[in-house]
């Protein structure tokens, strides 16, 4: 993960709602957002770990479920609805805690 995070191919494309960057990986697009908030990390992690919280934050999220969790790594699947003619979008999020 560290190697991917530090890859120089990330291209910044937005400052809203946070600093957003994208990069092509084997024909697919990876996206990341970086935001600094004044809330303890533990509170944010606990809040986002709640089942169904993504649906509360974004009504276009139609599904969010935990796929894998081990130690400090969590993999989550999310499905977001989109207006026609765009198809629904599937995302897999990998979250890890750097100690």
């Amino acid at each position: 993960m560290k190697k991917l995070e530090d890859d120089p191919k990330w291209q910044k494309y937005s400052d809203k709602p946070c600093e957003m960057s994208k990069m092509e990986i084997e024909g697919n697009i990876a996206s990341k957002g970086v935001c600094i908030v004044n809330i303890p990390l533990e509170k944010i992690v606990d809040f986002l770990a709640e089942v169904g919280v993504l649906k509360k934050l974004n009504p276009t999220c139609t599904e969010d479920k935990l796929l894998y969790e081990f130690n400090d790594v969590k993999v989550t699947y999310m499905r977001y609805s989109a207006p026609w003619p765009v198809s629904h979008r599937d995302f897999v999020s990998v979250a890890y805690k750097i100690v």
Side-chain angles (χ1 to χ4, degrees):
M1 294 304 291
K2 186 69 174 161
K3 181 179 175 184
L4 181 60
E5 181 181 329
D6 295 335
D7 194 306
K9 290 183 269 182
W10 285 107
Q11 300 171 352
K12 183 177 169 183
Y13 69 90
S14 178
D15 284 326
K16 293 184 171 68
C18 58
E19 184 177 299
M20 298 295 299
S21 300
K22 64 182 178 179
M23 174 174 57
E24 183 176 331
I25 301 175
E26 298 177 3
N28 297 300
I29 299 295
S31 179
K32 73 174 180 176
V34 177
C35 183
I36 298 172
V37 294
N38 292 320
I39 299 172
L41 181 61
E42 293 79 14
K43 285 189 177 187
I44 295 171
V45 170
D46 290 344
F47 175 74
L48 293 174
E50 293 177 30
V51 175
V53 76
L54 294 175
K55 291 180 187 179
K56 292 177 187 176
L57 295 174
N58 185 343
T60 65
C61 180
T62 59
E63 186 176 357
D64 68 281
K65 63 182 176 182
L66 181 65
L67 297 178
Y68 175 81
E69 185 172 18
F70 182 75
N71 293 335
D72 294 326
V73 177
K74 181 188 276 189
V75 180
T76 306
Y77 166 79
M78 298 155 288
R79 182 175 182 92
Y80 288 86
S81 62
W84 184 88
V86 179
S87 20
H88 298 310
R89 299 177 183 213
D90 299 299
F91 292 88
V92 175
S93 169
V94 179
Y96 61 97
K97 187 188 303 183
I98 300 173
V99 186

